[in-house]
Each structure stands twice: as structure tokens, then as C-alpha cells.
Amino acid sequence: MNYLNDEMVYGKNPVLELLKSGKPVNKVLLISEGQGVRNQEIILLLHARNIPYQFVDRQTLDRLTNRERHQGMLAYVAAREYASIEDILALAEERQEALFILMLDEIEDPHNLGALLRTVDAVGAHGVIIPKRRSVALTGTVVKTSAGAAEHVLVARVSNLVQTLKELKNKGCWVSGAEAGGKNAFEADLTGSRVIVIGSEGKGISRLLRENCDEIVSLPMKGKVTSLNASVAGSVMLYEVLRQRTMHDM
């Protein structure tokens, strides 16, 4: 029997068949006790498809599945297929436009990701890059919050943001990290091939990723609140890139 409940598939055979099918999977949870030989086929498939997995205790799986017969494993199914970096590059080439990419560093709130996907679609950016670990994935909540934009925006999920950033820089992209303490974003030159990096809700941009940005830009703050929600800050930055591109092309 295929146990499907709120984007989850659980039970050994259902999870195994899901992995063999090639359908997008966000993450797999495996029971930590007695993991040994019986899970080797699953683990080999997870490594082959580069899908994140985590060992948890039985109580966690019992709680997540309402004590259904999970047989020690549970998979979170992605709401849609992920794109590749090559897909994003190809879209820019097809449109004959300078690259315009949003990179998100460990965004955890699905509502923030959904809202940003909606803005990415609105400004005509070519895609979004998220990490495979410590980040919200393409869940049903993300798709719903995006108001349909998730169906049109290319989202690539990568193992290493820093390495991906270096590859994009080698292709001529200039990288602007959005964080407090940088130059005024409205006075910076954001034209040309561009990657905008937005950090996590609590910690901002991680140190290594920040060190690999070409510049740090900040939104001017006139009020008493010293920071903006990640989706709000990201949306303002994306629209500033669009504004400058539009002015540059006039």
C-alpha cells in the first residue's frame, strides 16, 4: 500500500519505488535504530540521486506519520521538478538577456520562498538557486504562497552554494550580497549579468558565501526597525535590478 499524506510517502516499498521512479524528492528520514543492511538499497539510491537524508528515532517517525506503519522510513515529495543551473543559463541565452539570478542562503520559511518566487517571476529573473540542506524546499506551502509562480520559475537545488557562485562568476556574473553595512543599493550599479544573494531570516548571509560576493549592498532604513523580512528585502532588491536594467535599455 502506498501511504501518501501531506507530501509524505512512507513505508519501505513505497519509498523505494518513489526513489526508483525518478520523481523529485526533497528529503528522506530513516530510523536510526538497526539501520544496517536492510536500508542499504535505499541509501545507495539516495547517494546515486544526491538526495539529502537524515537518521531519526522511532518516536519522530511515529509522530510524523500518526503512528501509521512507516517501516522506519519516510520521504518528503517535492511539489514540482527542480531545474539545473544549465537550465537557468539556457533560459537567459534563449531570451538573449544578461543573467539575472536570485541565490537564497538557508531560507527556512516556506512563505518567504513562495513570496520570492512570485517576485522572481514578476521581474523576469531567470531562476532561483537554493541549497539542498538547511533550507526550505519546494513544498506545497511554497507553491501555494507563490500564487502559481512556482510553476513558471526555474529553481535549482545545489549541494554547495559557494562553488556554484564561483562557477557563475566565471561565466561573467557580478555578485551582490544584500546585507546591512554595505553600500546603498539604490546607488550601486546593478546592471549586467547579476546574482543577488539573500541570507537566512536569522543569520543573514553565511561567512564563506559573503566572502565570495563581489560587493555587499544595503537597503536604506529610515525608521526604527533595523531589518526587513527576507522576502521583502529580496523583492525590493530584485525590483531595483529590474529598474536599473529598464533605465539602461532605454
Side-chain angles (χ1 to χ4, degrees), residues 23-234:
K23 292 179 180 178
V25 177
N26 286 328
K27 186 177 183 178
V28 172
L29 301 183
L30 299 168
I31 197 165
S32 53
E33 55 199 66
Q35 45 193 284
V37 177
R38 64 176 181 168
N39 287 337
Q40 284 307 302
E41 185 178 8
I42 296 282
I43 292 173
L44 287 173
L45 275 171
L46 292 170
H47 281 288
R49 292 192 53 196
N50 201 16
I51 295 171
Y53 65 93
Q54 179 182 353
F55 290 108
V56 297
D57 57 34
R58 180 174 295 278
Q59 289 75 17
T60 297
L61 288 176
D62 287 344
R63 175 175 52 80
L64 290 171
T65 61
N66 291 320
R67 296 188 176 278
E68 294 278 0
R69 189 165 174 265
H70 52 71
Q71 297 177 297
M73 59 190 66
L74 177 155
Y76 288 99
V77 184
R80 53 153 291 190
E81 295 278 353
Y82 290 99
S84 66
I85 299 298
E86 289 71 25
D87 292 330
I88 294 175
L89 298 177
L91 178 60
E93 185 175 349
E94 177 186 325
R95 293 182 183 172
Q96 297 185 323
E97 296 171 339
L99 276 166
F100 183 8
I101 297 172
L102 175 65
M103 178 176 281
L104 301 176
D105 184 18
E106 299 184 13
I107 295 292
E108 297 177 346
D109 188 337
H111 296 91
N112 278 338
L113 178 55
L116 283 165
L117 292 183
R118 192 171 182 177
T119 305
V120 165
D121 179 61
V123 302
H126 301 116
V128 177
I129 300 172
I130 61 175
K132 286 189 175 182
R133 301 182 186 278
R134 296 183 295 277
S135 171
V136 66
L138 284 176
T139 66
T141 301
V142 170
V143 172
K144 183 177 180 181
T145 305
S146 77
E151 298 301 324
H152 307 289
V153 173
L154 297 179
V155 180
R157 200 171 180 224
V158 302
S159 300
N160 191 315
L161 289 180
V162 173
Q163 183 59 40
T164 301
L165 201 61
K166 289 179 179 178
E167 292 170 3
L168 290 171
K169 290 171 74 171
N170 287 336
K171 293 184 180 297
C173 283
W174 188 264
V175 182
S176 302
E179 199 165 66
K183 69 174 76 171
N184 189 326
F186 299 150
E187 298 173 356
D189 181 0
L190 300 177
T191 58
S193 291
R194 180 76 40 179
V195 179
I196 298 294
V197 180
I198 301 294
S200 66
E201 295 89 349
K203 297 177 292 184
I205 302 173
S206 59
R207 181 184 60 82
L208 276 178
L209 199 59
R210 191 181 197 279
E211 289 175 357
N212 279 276
C213 291
D214 293 305
E215 63 180 355
I216 298 298
V217 296
S218 304
L219 296 172
M221 304 290 291
K222 299 296 185 182
K224 298 186 183 301
V225 177
T226 57
S227 64
L228 292 172
N229 173 279
S231 64
V232 174

